[in-house]
Each structure stands twice: as structure tokens, then as C-alpha cells.
Amino acid sequence: DAGVTQTPRHEVAEKGQTIILKCEPVSGHNDLFWYRQTKIQGLELLSYFRSKSLMEDGGAFKDRFKAEMLNSSFSTLKIQPTEPKDSAVYLCASSYSQNTLYFGAGTRLSVL
Amino acid sequence: DAKTTQPDSMESTEGETVHLPCSHATISGNEYIYWYRQVPLQGPEYVTHGLQQNTTNSMAFLAIASDRKSSTLILTHVSLRDAAVYHCILRVGSGGSNAKLTFGKGTKLSVKS
């Protein structure tokens, strides 16, 4: 029973690079969420998709962060260009119609 | 807009039963009580949730006060694997706009062997 799969688990980028994080939601789930987690800010919503349509984005994250759902079983989060302040854990979660959210293990991003 | 209050930390010993309290005095009628736990280098893991009635699953028992202003997550026969930060959060049920989750600091549960 596959849960949410995120790749890579760790990413190191130079300032100004473009990075793409990947997420495969739980099969059958129609909601997909991208969050950023830091010790200071806690959990911040980046994007929320329902059935591949963008429902919410995280306002402040619009300019350099772009999430896409290429199909119902695959999503990407592109950060372009990266900045050191983007260093954080990026979490993907999925649910069925906003019931229980199931999270992936996360991608730990370090921007030098 | 954290609406729950939890102790910062609790300690237990393997095999014991642990009661993790959560206060949510301003809970709305359509808000569910969710519990997640998180260990370092992993995403939050769903534990359980409930609305009004006590619930139980393979991971934990959730006791909800009759006025719904507090709840207690009960872990029986804890093991070292149960050491984690436990988060109690409120979410509107399905159909609500609920994408923004607010995890507070949670309760860090330490388990001794």
C-alpha cells in the first residue's frame, strides 16, 4: 500500500539554480498539497490542487515557486531561482476530498 | 492561528501507557480533532482523528471530552518507536477550505528503555 512518495530526499543547490522536486500522491486521492516546513515558520502552504486544478497557492510564494500536476499521480514543485532562504523541508501531502492528509517523507533542500 | 494548547514535553518508559493532553477551548462544531506525530527527517504521520465520540485504531485511543474543549491521545504499551513530537490540530471536515494547516510546537514525547 504505497503512501506519498517524494524524491529526492535531499537536494543541495547553488544560489540561483533551478530545482525540481517530485511527488507521487496516494493512489485514488484527488487532493495534493505542497508545504514548506521550517523550525521558525512551521508549516506553510505553497500550493493546493483538487483533481489537478490549482485551488490555492501560498500568496507570498508565487514569484519563484511553481507547482504543477502533470497528471493525477504526479506533481512537481519548481523553485527558480533558488535563494539561501529557501533552505527547508518541502512536504507533499495527499487526501481524498480534504479528509485525512497523508504526508510524504519530505525533501530536505539546502541552498548554498 | 494555533487553536490548540499542548504541553511542551512528556516522558515515559517502554511498556507504559501515556496520556497526551490537548486543549481546544474555542473549537467549532464542524471542526475535527486530528493528531499527527513527527520524527526527525520524516514528514508528519497521521495517528487518528475524531469529532465527538472516542475513537480507537491500531495506533492510539482518542478520548474526547463531552464538551469537546479538550481531548487526550492515549498510547498503550509505548515503545521506543513512539518517541516523536505529537501535534493536535483542528480541521474542518471534508468540503471545507482546509489546506492551511497550523502545527504548533506539539508535545515532544521521550521514551526510555
Side-chain angles (χ1 to χ4, degrees):
Chain A
D1 186 19
V4 177
T5 303
Q6 289 189 248
T7 54
R9 290 297 315 277
H10 303 277
E11 179 79 62
V12 179
E14 298 280 341
K15 178 183 173 182
Q17 261 189 279
T18 296
I19 61 107
I20 296 176
L21 309 181
K22 304 177 184 68
C23 174
E24 295 174 44
V26 175
S27 178
H29 281 185
N30 59 349
D31 288 332
L32 187 137
F33 307 83
W34 282 99
Y35 294 95
R36 183 170 80 173
Q37 187 176 39
T38 60
K39 284 186 178 178
I40 296 174
Q41 299 292 338
L43 210 60
E44 299 172 284
L45 176 69
L46 301 176
S47 295
Y48 159 45
F49 293 88
R50 157 81 44 105
S51 300
K52 301 190 295 179
S53 297
L54 182 65
M55 304 299 289
E56 288 184 55
D57 62 34
F61 297 96
K62 280 182 184 176
D63 56 347
R64 296 183 299 109
F65 293 73
K66 184 177 176 60
E68 290 183 310
M69 279 211 76
L70 306 183
N71 56 56
S72 61
S73 58
F74 186 70
S75 176
T76 59
L77 175 67
K78 181 191 289 187
I79 308 176
Q80 178 183 36
T82 52
E83 298 181 6
K85 64 181 179 180
D86 299 332
S87 297
V89 175
Y90 290 82
L91 294 166
C92 177
S94 70
S95 70
Y96 183 75
S97 297
Q98 289 232 29
N99 282 307
T100 302
L101 265 67
Y102 292 90
F103 287 83
T107 295
R108 183 171 294 272
L109 173 65
S110 298
V111 182
L112 309 176
Chain B
D1 59 337
K3 297 172 63 177
T4 63
T5 302
Q6 300 176 254
D8 288 342
S9 63
M10 294 185 68
E11 287 188 352
S12 66
T13 303
E14 277 192 296
E16 286 184 342
T17 294
V18 175
H19 291 71
L20 301 174
C22 182
S23 172
H24 27 80
T26 59
I27 189 171
S28 301
N30 62 349
E31 286 183 312
Y32 287 74
I33 302 153
Y34 273 80
W35 284 81
Y36 283 85
R37 68 183 186 183
Q38 190 170 17
V39 298
L41 305 181
Q42 292 291 327
E45 178 185 23
Y46 167 75
V47 178
T48 189
H49 75 285
L51 181 64
Q52 192 155 8
Q53 304 297 322
N54 296 340
T55 63
T56 188
N57 62 19
S58 61
M59 295 181 73
F61 179 84
L62 177 61
I64 301 173
S66 56
D67 63 5
R68 301 210 323 126
K69 294 185 177 182
S70 65
S71 60
T72 302
L73 185 72
I74 301 170
L75 308 175
T76 58
H77 308 293
V78 293
S79 70
L80 296 176
R81 283 190 63 249
D82 294 315
V85 177
Y86 286 78
H87 296 279
C88 167
I89 65 172
L90 305 181
R91 293 190 69 220
V92 174
S94 62
S97 177
N98 220 359
K100 291 186 174 70
L101 294 182
T102 301
F103 277 35
K105 289 185 179 179
T107 297
K108 183 175 182 179
L109 176 65
S110 302
V111 180
K112 297 182 292 185
S113 57

